[in-house]
């Protein structure tokens, strides 16, 4: 039996005990084979999150959504810890049960992460649980009412007891926070995995050469023709960017094939590499949004790799699987119909950055990223088309996902003021595979043709611009593109779910 404490100090003691356990978890999470329990549990929450909640979180918190998720997990755990503290006043076993449940939850979530070892995780989390319970026991014994009761012989002044208890809990909490922060900082610094910066890529067998004159529109503020790697949008379900070690990494091609193929990184680089200029779009991109980029990719043609494996006639789907378990699948035809589908190792003249899938990812022009562009690629599995689905498909997104024609006004910025006279209007436009034939801009109800710069390829986005005389007052500008088959981008509006947004991007400007 633990000395009985009153409610509030007991709750504080419980929260502080959980803080100590979680902080230790951050430290022990640095050990290879063990994961931070907070990260592991948060990671498990992601696939369980209902889509509207997820969409809301991304909208409200943007790229901070993952930090907010981990913070939420921590706060929830501290709250349950407070309850455990209150339970422990009556019976310490109550707290033991709660902490043990925490340990089991953390273990299950950790083991679901890549690169964890069950035995190590069990040892580490047992240490966390034991430390948390130890701290709880000590704190409860020091709580004001407990000291009062225990100290009948030499009565302690209650306010003094309360103050020294609060100081003790505060100290424990602060120590836990510092420990956890140190764990995070070290985790960030300790480089496990190969550093992409140290990798040297061979010259392409098929190089695209300089960007041709006339491919760039002469306009300040327009999206760069090739999106720099550190400005390229990023979408992934992994809470921490996977760090792959080239010594142990390989790409396995298996499933409905005649012979399994396994390639090391060096094997991949020994293949003839090709350069491909292609846009990559996220299906979640809203009209006018920034979840689309354009890069010069370097990689091995996918058809060549599939030929090596030899396709079984039953193979209907190419399913990329990442080291973190993410999957994306597309029809086999998209790998074989002559488009530049590649296993990419380079992006804009550099090895793939970690955030964009080092050491290798799939890039399939004309398909949205969620069905095609598997990062941190570990496996290419050939499966039947029916009955096997990539990560996002059971979550309400279409299985077939060709990119829809899109266009965006970058200049002038929506809501800005411009000077009267010839106003420069410019932006980018893209299609699935057919190139951009024409771009039209509407001002005050009248459509005019913009000048489309020379395309890098039919798969890349193009820059376009025009000059339009505008008189004073408010104006609304809209844009639409026409693809290589003469199809005009539909007016919509259609939301991103389930197969991509449709609509003409509009901006309002005030001409002064
Ligand atoms: N392993 C893995 N690959 C992934 C994803 C992911 O969550 N995990 N997201 C996909 C989605 S939805 C898109 S739009 C693209 C985005 O690629 P980028 O982050 O390099 O821009 O990656 C795809 N590949
Ligand atoms: Mo996406």
């Amino acid at each position: 039996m633990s000395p009985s404490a009153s409610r509030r100090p007991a709750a504080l003691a419980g929260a502080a005990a959980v803080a100590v356990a979680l902080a230790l978890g951050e430290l022990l999470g640095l050990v290879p084979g063990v994961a931070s329990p907070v990260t592991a549990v948060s990671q498990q929450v992601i696939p369980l999150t209902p889509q509207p909640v997820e969409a809301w979180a991304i909208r409200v918190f943007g790229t901070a959504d993952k930090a907010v998720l981990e913070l939420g997990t921590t706060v929830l755990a501290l709250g349950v810890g407070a309850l455990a503290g209150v339970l422990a006043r009556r019976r310490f076993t109550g707290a033991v049960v709660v902490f043990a449940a925490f340990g089991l939850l953390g273990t299950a979530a950790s083991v679901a992460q890549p690169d964890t070892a069950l035995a190590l995780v069990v040892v580490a989390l047992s240490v966390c649980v034991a430390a948390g319970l130890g701290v709880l026991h000590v704190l409860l014994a020091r709580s004001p009412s407990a000291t009062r009761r225990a100290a009948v012989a030499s009565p302690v002044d209650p306010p003094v007891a309360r103050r020294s208890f609060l100081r003790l809990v505060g100290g424990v909490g602060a120590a836990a926070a510092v420990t956890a922060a140190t764990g995070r900082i070290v985790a960030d610094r300790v480089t496990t995995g190969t550093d992409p910066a140290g990798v040297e890529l061979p010259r392409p067998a098929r190089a695209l050469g300089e960007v041709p004159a006339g491919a760039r529109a002469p306009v300040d503020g327009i999206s760069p023709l090739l999106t720099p790697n550190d400005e390229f949008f990023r979408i992934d379900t992994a809470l921490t960017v996977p760090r792959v070690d080239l010594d142990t990494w390989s790409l396995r091609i298996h499933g409905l094939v005649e012979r399994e193929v396994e390639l090391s990184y060096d094997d991949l680089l020994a293949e003839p590499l090709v350069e491909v200029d292609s846009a990559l779009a996220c299906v979640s991109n809203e009209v006018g949004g920034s979840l689309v980029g354009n890069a010069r990719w370097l990689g091995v043609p996918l058809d060549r790799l599939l030929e090596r494996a030899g396709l079984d006639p039953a193979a209907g789907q190419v399913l990329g699987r990442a080291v973190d378990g993410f999957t994306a699948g597309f029809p086999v035809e998209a790998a074989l119909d002559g488009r530049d589908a590649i296993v990419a190792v380079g992006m804009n003249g550099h090895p793939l950055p970690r955030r964009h899938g080092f050491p290798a990812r799939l890039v399939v022009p004309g398909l949205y990223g969620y069905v095609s562009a598997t990062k941190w690629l570990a496996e290419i599995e050939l499966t039947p088309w029916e009955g096997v689905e990539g990560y996002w498909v059971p979550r309400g997104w279409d299985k077939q996902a060709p990119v829809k024609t899109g266009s965006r006004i970058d200049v002038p910025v929506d809501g800005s003021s411009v000077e009267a006279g010839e106003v420069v209007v410019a932006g980018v436009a893209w299609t699935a595979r057919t190139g951009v034939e024409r771009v039209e801009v509407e001002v005050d109800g009248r459509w005019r043709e913009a000048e489309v710069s020379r395309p890098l390829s039919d798969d890349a986005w193009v820059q376009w611009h025009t000059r339009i005389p505008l008189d004073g007052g408010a104006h609304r500008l809209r844009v639409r593109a026409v693809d290589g088959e003469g199809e005009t981008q539909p007016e919509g509006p259609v939301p991103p779910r389930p197969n991509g947004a449709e609509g003409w991007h509009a901006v309002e400007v005030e001409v002064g």
Side-chain angles (χ1 to χ4, degrees):
M1 274 294 279
S2 78
S4 107
S6 56
R7 228 159 222 274
R8 200 172 309 163
L12 282 176
V18 165
V20 168
L22 295 184
L24 262 179
E26 292 302 316
L27 279 193
L28 293 170
L30 296 173
V31 177
V34 184
S36 146
V38 170
T39 305
V41 171
S42 306
Q43 179 72 66
Q44 289 313 110
V45 171
I46 293 180
L48 302 177
T49 311
Q51 211 281 331
V53 176
E54 187 172 353
W56 171 85
I58 292 171
R59 203 165 53 243
V60 175
F61 303 117
T63 41
D65 60 337
K66 285 162 187 163
V68 172
L69 174 61
E70 293 206 66
L71 191 67
T73 304
T74 306
V75 170
L76 202 65
L78 295 178
V80 175
L83 287 178
V86 173
L87 275 182
R89 292 186 312 155
R90 288 282 127 71
R91 210 180 291 242
F92 198 71
T93 355
V96 174
V97 169
V98 173
F99 273 72
F102 267 139
L104 287 177
L105 184 69
T107 304
S110 299
V111 173
Q113 300 259 93
D115 298 329
T116 46
L118 177 62
L120 286 177
V121 169
V122 168
V123 172
L125 290 193
S126 304
V127 170
C128 297
V129 166
L133 286 171
V135 168
L136 180 61
H137 198 274
V138 170
L139 288 180
L140 286 177
R142 301 275 168 92
S143 80
S145 49
T147 27
R148 215 179 305 138
R149 225 155 294 153
V152 249
S154 58
V156 182
D157 184 19
V160 172
R162 197 177 319 123
R163 237 179 291 130
S164 76
F165 175 74
L166 287 180
R167 224 178 294 130
L168 180 62
V169 170
V172 168
V178 169
T179 306
T182 309
R184 286 281 155 133
I185 290 167
V186 174
D188 234 34
R189 300 271 159 89
V190 174
T191 35
T192 54
T194 308
D195 184 355
V199 170
E200 201 164 327
L201 295 176
R203 288 174 167 279
R206 188 190 87 197
L208 294 175
E210 294 280 297
V211 167
R216 293 195 164 96
V219 176
D220 286 340
I222 195 170
S223 303
L225 183 60
L226 293 167
T227 314
N229 291 355
D230 55 4
E231 286 171 28
F232 208 96
F233 78 96
R234 177 184 155 207
I235 299 285
D236 39 66
T237 56
L239 268 185
T240 45
V241 176
R243 290 165 171 268
V244 171
D245 186 343
L246 287 184
D247 291 336
T248 53
W249 179 86
S250 68
L251 171 60
R252 195 159 76 92
I253 305 174
H254 66 109
L256 297 171
V257 294
E258 283 162 6
R259 57 205 156 263
E260 225 181 274
V261 172
E262 188 160 354
L263 299 152
S264 69
Y265 191 64
D266 286 341
D267 293 338
L268 265 187
L269 298 194
E271 296 285 323
L273 301 179
V274 299
E275 284 187 321
V276 174
D277 286 336
S278 178
L280 173 61
C282 180
V283 69
S284 301
N285 195 34
E286 304 273 355
V287 170
S290 58
L291 301 182
V292 53
N294 193 52
R296 176 161 288 184
W297 308 96
L298 174 74
V300 183
L302 182 58
D303 54 4
R304 187 184 166 93
L305 295 175
L306 296 186
E307 213 167 280
R308 278 245 225 130
L311 293 192
D312 181 309
Q317 178 169 215
V318 177
L319 189 78
R321 184 174 288 113
V323 300
D324 66 333
F326 174 89
T327 51
F330 53 90
V332 163
E333 295 78 63
L336 306 178
D337 64 6
R339 77 180 81 191
D340 287 320
I342 56 170
V343 171
V345 292
M347 182 177 182
N348 293 322
H350 299 278
L352 273 184
R354 280 207 178 101
R355 292 145 45 91
H356 296 290
F358 180 81
R361 76 177 304 171
L362 280 160
V363 172
V364 185
L367 298 183
Y368 282 119
Y370 80 102
V371 294
S372 64
T374 307
K375 301 190 274 186
W376 314 293
L377 187 65
E379 295 174 32
I380 295 174
E381 185 180 350
L382 279 298
T383 75
W385 177 254
E386 299 296 339
V388 180
E389 294 178 333
Y391 182 88
W392 285 109
V393 176
R395 293 174 170 82
W397 298 84
D398 282 2
K399 191 164 180 176
Q400 293 266 19
V403 171
K404 293 180 180 177
T405 297
S407 52
R408 183 173 77 200
I409 299 173
D410 294 330
V411 180
V413 172
D414 190 24
S416 61
S417 319
V418 294
E419 275 179 38
E422 294 259 292
V423 174
V424 176
V425 183
V428 289
W430 60 92
T431 68
R433 314 262 310 107
T434 64
V436 174
E437 185 178 288
R438 203 162 66 240
V439 170
E440 296 165 339
V441 177
E442 183 199 41
V443 188
D444 303 329
R446 194 185 131 210
W447 289 94
R448 12 174 137 219
E449 198 168 332
E451 184 176 326
V452 176
S453 302
R454 186 164 162 185
L456 290 173
S457 76
D458 284 347
D459 300 317
W461 72 18
V462 292
Q463 294 185 337
W464 57 266
H465 77 291
T466 185
R467 266 168 247 280
I468 300 175
L470 289 181
D471 45 17
H475 295 273
R476 189 162 99 111
L477 309 171
R478 290 204 293 176
V479 65
R480 67 184 181 198
V482 177
D483 75 11
E485 287 170 349
E487 287 288 325
T488 300
Q489 177 186 345
E491 180 172 10
V494 163
R497 200 178 160 92
N499 57 21
E502 289 172 18
W504 296 338
H505 184 215
V507 300
E508 316 260 342
V509 287
E510 187 65 37
V511 178

